[in-house]
Amino acid sequence: MSEGTPSLQRPATRAARLSAIEQALATHIITSQSQLSKILIDEGIAVTQATLSRDLDEMHAVKTRLQDGTVAYAVARGAAPAAEGDEVGQRGEAQMARVLSGLVTSVAAARNLVVVHTPSGAAQYVASVIDKQPLDGVFGTIAGDDTVMVICADDDAAASRSDWLLTLASK
């Protein structure tokens, strides 16, 4: 992360560790537990190999062969990890477009925030769809009844994500 960009901080809890592992598997091509352990250490999470092995088993993470032949961990939800540089992936983007096209009524950037309007009662679902994707420059969402606030790292990220979400919702 660049200087001035706040880093994501996690408490020293099991849930936070599992979340960090899931995020690492979604955003990196992880070929070994030692590689995953180093990524977690960089995030301030020290974990033993035995605990990491149990966590991966509990998350149903399996080693799978990628298109280039590399064998890497993936969370067994039917989705392989995204290729290097392929942030959301075509499949994830298509799934998001299907959901967002029926539920997003407007999108606007406001400084480092993106405000997404939905029909009444749909904001929580739209927020969870956005939260499940590893998006550069996005820290998370807050949802009400018909409004989702996407918190971005900076104004440029918000403008970019606003345009991207509007494009997805227009498909």
Side-chain angles (χ1 to χ4, degrees):
M1 294 207 161
S2 62
E3 285 185 36
T5 302
S7 64
L8 182 64
Q9 302 212 359
R10 298 181 189 273
T13 64
R14 180 178 168 280
R17 184 180 70 245
L18 291 174
S19 174
I21 292 169
E22 186 173 5
Q23 182 178 9
L25 293 177
T27 58
H28 297 85
I29 294 176
I30 307 292
T31 58
S32 68
Q33 288 184 10
S34 62
Q35 179 190 10
L36 179 56
S37 178
K38 288 175 187 165
I39 290 170
L40 293 174
I41 286 170
D42 289 346
E43 292 193 25
I45 300 171
V47 62
T48 65
Q49 188 277 326
T51 299
L52 189 54
S53 185
R54 277 192 303 274
D55 289 346
L56 288 167
D57 185 52
E58 180 179 320
M59 296 170 71
H60 304 291
V62 294
K63 280 200 164 182
T64 186
R65 188 167 306 278
L66 305 179
Q67 289 178 343
D68 67 359
T70 304
V71 177
Y73 281 100
V75 177
R77 278 190 283 205
E84 201 68 51
D86 185 18
E87 186 182 2
V88 175
Q90 291 177 341
R91 186 173 175 187
E93 193 166 290
Q95 290 171 340
M96 285 185 73
R98 273 194 304 278
V99 170
L100 297 179
S101 68
L103 296 176
V104 172
T105 58
S106 69
V107 179
R111 308 276 260 149
N112 72 318
L113 305 173
V114 178
V115 179
V116 180
H117 289 106
T118 70
S120 184
Q124 296 278 328
Y125 181 61
V126 168
S128 74
V129 168
I130 294 169
D131 284 339
K132 285 187 169 92
Q133 299 301 324
L135 302 173
D136 282 343
V138 173
F139 293 131
T141 62
I142 299 173
D145 179 57
D146 63 358
T147 306
V148 177
M149 185 172 18
V150 182
I151 299 98
C152 298
D154 54 41
D155 297 1
D156 292 337
S160 172
R161 286 299 165 200
S162 175
D163 292 342
W164 181 72
L165 286 168
L166 186 58
T167 299
L168 280 181
S170 300
K171 287 186 177 181

